[in-house]
Amino acid sequence: MPAINLAATLDMAIETARRAGALLRVGLSQQRQIDLKSAYELVTDMDRASEDLIVDAIHTYCPGHAILAEERGGAVGVNRPTWLIDPLDGTNNYAHGFPYFAVSLGLWEENQPLLGVVYDPVRDELFSAQAGGGAQCNGMPLHVSQVATLAGALISTGFPYDYGTRTDNNLAEFNKVQARCQGVRRAGAAALDIAYVAMGRLDAHWEIGLKPWDTGAATLMVHEAGGQLSDAHGEDWGLSSTRMVASNGLIHDELLALLNTAQ
Ligand code: IPD
Ligand code: CA
Ligand code: CA
């Protein structure tokens, strides 16, 4: 496989995310077809339309690359790069007209992130990152916050769709953290929450049950913006990790320790 021109590939991913986001923005004010994936997990016709647009672009510009996309599945490539695609992160928000959702495109190779793009079409905010090349929002460099204690932090989290049928459902952790910081937000789009950590709007995000397409883009932004990522045991974050702690680095150990008292 020839070496990837990362700058050109990032430009293509940005343009594709903008086009998919524009589609979602138009669809938001129209009648949507909504189906159930599981008891409380929705999928709309716009999830599929956005994914079709993105997959077509990748097939055209990166024909040898593997694809793992939320709605059609796929697999991580062996000896070739893989696109991790969430065509609409925050589907339940979108289906209700709650304006907090994003398109997320990440490119990984050998369990390492190369590129990431998260686009919020409502605020027209395009977050992007290239490994070793920093992270930006609409072209402006991203830096994590300087908040040094949990007591001074605004934090976000999420809950798995099978919340009601598992005992390990993040509620004990939520209860602990909420009591020790300036607020825990549960806005419903993990890729955007994690990008907000990179931007310093949030000081940390933790969540269980995440999938590679939720995290494949935004985790690189946190890293490139000077933050820290780990699994719940403090081990390095990788594609097969599911329990995430992403932070500005300064509050990472304090948050990890608190989460680990909540079992
Ligand atoms: C979901 C959102 C949500 C998170 C869930 C994800 P989807 O993604 O990111 O915030 O809590 O774990 O599955 O289904 O809207 O793409
Ligand atoms: Ca998602
Ligand atoms: Ca999705």
Side-chain angles (χ1 to χ4, degrees):
M1 164 129 302
I4 306 171
N5 179 336
L6 282 182
T9 308
L10 181 58
D11 286 347
M12 183 280 294
I14 287 172
E15 201 239 316
T16 302
R18 283 192 179 282
R19 285 198 292 126
L23 200 70
L24 296 179
R25 194 168 44 227
V26 170
L28 190 61
S29 57
Q30 296 173 347
Q31 184 73 31
R32 291 174 290 277
Q33 187 198 319
I34 300 170
D35 297 312
L36 276 180
K37 271 179 162 176
S38 60
Y40 302 111
E41 181 177 11
L42 307 179
V43 61
T44 74
D45 49 345
M46 298 307 288
D47 292 75
R48 299 190 187 99
S50 173
E51 190 168 294
D52 287 349
L53 182 155
I54 294 164
V55 168
D56 278 355
I58 291 171
H59 280 155
T60 302
Y61 293 104
C62 308
H65 292 186
I67 288 176
L68 174 57
E70 180 171 11
E71 307 309 334
R72 72 191 59 205
V76 172
V78 178
N79 299 325
R80 59 190 182 128
T82 302
W83 288 92
L84 303 170
I85 302 169
D86 195 334
L88 170 44
D89 184 49
T91 296
N92 285 19
N93 286 346
Y94 187 83
H96 288 268
F98 185 85
Y100 189 81
F101 56 87
V103 176
S104 178
L105 305 180
L107 182 64
W108 284 60
E109 190 166 27
E110 314 235 335
N111 209 28
Q112 296 297 324
L114 300 176
L115 300 174
V117 175
V118 173
Y119 181 50
D120 170 355
V122 173
R123 289 163 200 79
D124 191 22
E125 288 186 331
L126 189 297
F127 302 84
S128 62
Q130 181 175 329
Q136 292 84 33
C137 179
N138 291 350
M140 300 297 291
L142 293 184
H143 302 288
V144 293
S145 73
Q146 293 298 309
V147 169
T149 61
L150 269 189
L154 188 68
I155 296 176
S156 59
T157 191
F159 294 92
Y161 287 114
D162 59 354
Y163 173 88
T165 55
R166 56 194 277 177
T167 48
D168 170 24
N169 63 8
N170 199 32
L171 192 56
E173 288 83 350
F174 182 91
N175 198 28
K176 286 263 180 185
V177 179
Q178 174 68 33
R180 293 273 297 274
C181 72
Q182 294 188 354
V184 178
R185 300 292 176 257
R186 193 283 194 250
L192 212 44
D193 295 337
I194 299 164
Y196 276 21
V197 174
M199 197 182 203
R201 286 176 178 165
L202 292 167
D203 306 301
H205 177 82
W206 92 90
E207 188 159 352
I208 63 175
L210 289 168
K211 302 293 193 313
W213 48 78
D214 297 315
T215 60
T219 46
L220 179 60
M221 292 165 200
V222 173
H223 182 71
E224 292 293 327
Q228 192 174 342
L229 291 154
S230 73
D231 69 10
H233 304 294
E235 301 296 327
D236 286 348
W237 177 261
L239 266 192
S240 53
S241 312
T242 58
R243 293 171 166 260
M244 158 176 291
V245 181
S247 80
N248 66 3
L250 301 173
I251 62 169
H252 204 89
D253 291 346
E254 195 185 354
L255 178 57
L256 262 185
L258 183 62
L259 290 170
N260 283 317
T261 64
Q263 307 310 323

